[in-house]
Amino acid sequence: MISITRLYCGKEAPADNLRYGLHVKRPTTVPGDVPVDAASRRPVVVWNVTSRCNLNCRHCYSGSTLRGSASELTTEEGKALLDDLAAFGVPAVLFSGGEPLMREDVFDLASCARELNLRTTLSTNGTLVTPRVADRILDAGFCYAGVSLDGVGETNDLFRGRKGAFEKAVGGLRLLRDRGLRVGLRMTLTRRTAPDLDRVFDLIEAEGIRRACFYHLCYSGRAADLSSQALTHEETRAAVDRILARTRLLADGPDSYDVLTVDNHADGPYVYLRLVEEGSERSADVLRLMEWNGGGLCSSGVGIADVDWRGNVHPDQFWLHYCLGNVRQRPFSEIWTRTDDPLLAGLRDRKPLLKGRCARCRFLDACGGSLRVRAELACGDPWAPDPACYLSDEEIGLITGARASQGRSGDSVGRQTV
């Protein structure tokens, strides 16, 4: 995740201490809650508790359906997983799906996590949140709920495959917000949804939504069929520019917001370059924060993990086609600390393996080669350049002088292909 609020606007945001380490001086920081370095962090675990979902989203990385799978972890198996995660010291567990609220025992599992002192968050489409469900979400101890909205009104409904999904999702978000739960909005950027960015920011302000995450498209699951909807690099730059501009307006106001971009670590260097262009005195400090974080170097397989509904463990939630082991046979803590898996080992020491532009980029320590699973899905090679990198060859230090203009118009601004 790239904190636009922190990096571009210089405003304090939640989880800064975990994201940017001891370089962030916060009065709320207590001894022991800041890792020595980003690589030493225990992973945030995304748990896809079910593959059932009441919507049919075009970009669903898990390919979830209404019927789902009969091989979900049982309640007792889920509680054993949570017990192991707590003992292992993971900082948070994200209950995801499918739609997690379609799992009958989800509140029992969340309550178990709370008793184990695990920080739990909920990723939901919001359409199933009724007053009673909202009460149960709070009672179960969830500290945050991210509600997915991919545009406003019809844009969202078309993308999510259900008429009326937008109104129901906003209604669910309001119910949670009004009960005092911290809520956020989650949006995936495509050619169909990005034109709604200003309307989404208007919604954020109007509804008092204090957190927003904007996801770059990854070609996993049903998103593999969205190649025609992937933003070109020029369109990506335009979308990020709108996010920066609207976030700065929010940051200049009286309320506190937390705006992040997700799944493209090139956003960090892009923010740095914008600050340099604007003559900001903060640019050097921002680069230092990003290099501590490490970007992709410390994300998939290091700071993020996934457990699917069958108990299979993956390097992240987009890598469902690659299994590291199953918690029915071996605890997560043992699977995650194994040293004999070539992909896991590579993700944890990827610099020598990266190829092409990523290997030679001057921002490698800050971006870390971005999202390796996107390179693997698009190119068949997890160490190939991330096709979603929209920085020019000049910007990343590969060309200078007379060759620069040619680099800007070459493959660095072409359409992403799958």
Side-chain angles (χ1 to χ4, degrees):
M1 289 184 167
I2 305 297
S3 174
I4 304 302
T5 304
R6 177 71 191 191
L7 299 181
Y8 188 60
C9 303
K11 294 294 184 72
E12 181 178 309
D16 278 350
N17 53 329
L18 292 175
R19 215 169 271 131
Y20 303 115
L22 292 171
H23 294 299
V24 177
K25 305 299 183 183
R26 300 181 62 198
T28 54
T29 297
V30 296
D33 75 341
V34 180
V36 175
D37 55 68
S40 69
R41 294 176 296 192
R42 293 300 195 198
V44 170
V45 176
V46 178
W47 181 15
N48 304 106
V49 296
T50 182
S51 63
R52 285 173 285 169
C53 188
N54 60 317
L55 301 184
N56 187 33
C57 304
R58 298 186 179 186
H59 64 318
C60 179
Y61 66 79
S62 65
S64 295
T65 63
L66 185 61
R67 293 185 62 184
S69 169
S71 58
E72 293 176 0
L73 294 177
T74 66
T75 302
E76 291 308 310
E77 288 172 331
K79 289 181 177 181
L81 168 64
L82 292 169
D83 187 64
D84 179 55
L85 296 179
F88 192 50
V90 305
V93 180
L94 171 61
F95 282 62
S96 187
E99 170 50 54
L101 295 179
M102 290 193 73
R103 178 161 175 149
E104 291 80 2
D105 62 354
V106 66
F107 300 116
D108 187 18
L109 292 168
S111 296
C112 172
R114 178 184 57 190
E115 292 170 2
L116 292 167
N117 294 317
L118 282 168
R119 183 177 184 270
T120 55
T121 62
L122 179 68
S123 176
T124 175
N125 63 43
T127 63
L128 300 180
V129 179
T130 63
R132 181 174 179 271
V133 169
D135 290 338
R136 296 192 71 186
I137 289 172
L138 265 71
D139 291 342
F142 285 105
C143 62
Y144 169 79
V147 177
S148 298
L149 282 171
D150 291 297
V152 174
E154 185 179 1
T155 301
N156 176 81
D157 291 356
L158 286 172
F159 204 67
R160 296 196 156 263
R162 183 68 57 85
K163 187 175 182 180
F166 174 78
E167 291 299 331
K168 286 187 176 180
V170 172
L173 191 152
R174 288 169 178 161
L175 287 169
L176 295 171
R177 177 204 63 195
D178 292 347
R179 282 160 173 75
L181 184 68
R182 185 166 175 258
V183 296
L185 180 151
R186 301 152 58 90
M187 174 181 176
T188 299
L189 299 171
T190 68
R191 301 192 82 192
R192 177 165 289 157
T193 62
D196 268 20
L197 271 171
D198 279 310
R199 297 174 70 195
V200 167
F201 270 98
D202 291 343
L203 178 72
I204 289 169
E205 291 190 82
E207 296 293 339
I209 303 168
R210 299 297 182 223
R211 190 174 195 260
C213 297
F214 296 95
Y215 288 75
H216 293 265
L217 185 67
C218 183
Y219 321 128
S220 181
R222 284 199 289 270
D225 298 327
L226 282 183
S227 59
S228 64
Q229 285 297 312
L231 297 176
T232 66
H233 293 170
E234 289 174 330
E235 291 166 342
T236 300
R237 294 171 83 103
V240 174
D241 283 342
R242 289 310 303 154
I243 293 170
L244 297 182
R246 292 300 300 259
T247 304
R248 176 159 283 174
L249 289 175
L250 291 177
D252 289 341
D255 298 317
S256 175
Y257 290 88
D258 185 18
V259 178
L260 306 104
T261 61
V262 190
D263 296 332
N264 194 340
H265 296 284
D267 291 345
Y270 187 70
V271 167
Y272 164 77
L273 292 169
R274 279 288 303 273
L275 291 172
V276 170
E277 182 182 340
E278 295 169 4
S280 172
E281 296 179 353
R282 297 178 46 253
S283 58
D285 288 337
V286 164
L287 184 60
R288 180 165 56 94
L289 293 178
M290 291 190 300
E291 289 177 344
W292 186 94
N293 176 276
L297 295 173
C298 302
S299 59
S300 304
V302 182
I304 186 76
D306 179 85
V307 180
D308 70 24
W309 52 93
R310 297 158 296 193
N312 291 327
V313 177
H314 311 278
D316 66 34
Q317 66 270 38
F318 300 112
W319 230 308
L320 297 184
H321 55 286
Y322 191 97
C323 179
L324 300 169
N326 188 285
V327 300
R328 283 175 163 143
Q329 284 81 47
R330 192 177 181 186
F332 173 89
S333 55
E334 292 184 12
I335 295 170
W336 197 248
T337 52
R338 62 184 295 189
T339 59
D340 59 339
D341 184 87
L343 178 62
L344 196 58
L347 289 171
R348 292 171 180 176
D349 186 22
R350 69 181 66 183
K351 276 188 180 182
L353 302 175
L354 292 173
K355 302 174 183 178
R357 300 175 80 244
C358 286
R360 297 177 289 144
C361 176
R362 69 181 174 118
F363 295 116
L364 178 56
D365 287 338
C367 173
S370 198
L371 200 61
R372 292 294 89 213
V373 67
R374 186 162 45 220
E376 195 266 345
L377 290 169
C379 308
D381 183 353
W383 315 119
D386 185 338
C389 177
Y390 54 92
L391 301 179
S392 71
D393 286 349
E394 179 188 18
E395 287 170 326
I396 68 173
L398 299 189
I399 59 175
T400 58
R403 296 176 59 203
S405 60
Q406 181 180 357
R408 289 195 194 96
S409 60
D411 64 351
S412 61
V413 292
R415 176 175 299 286
Q416 302 170 31
T417 57
V418 181

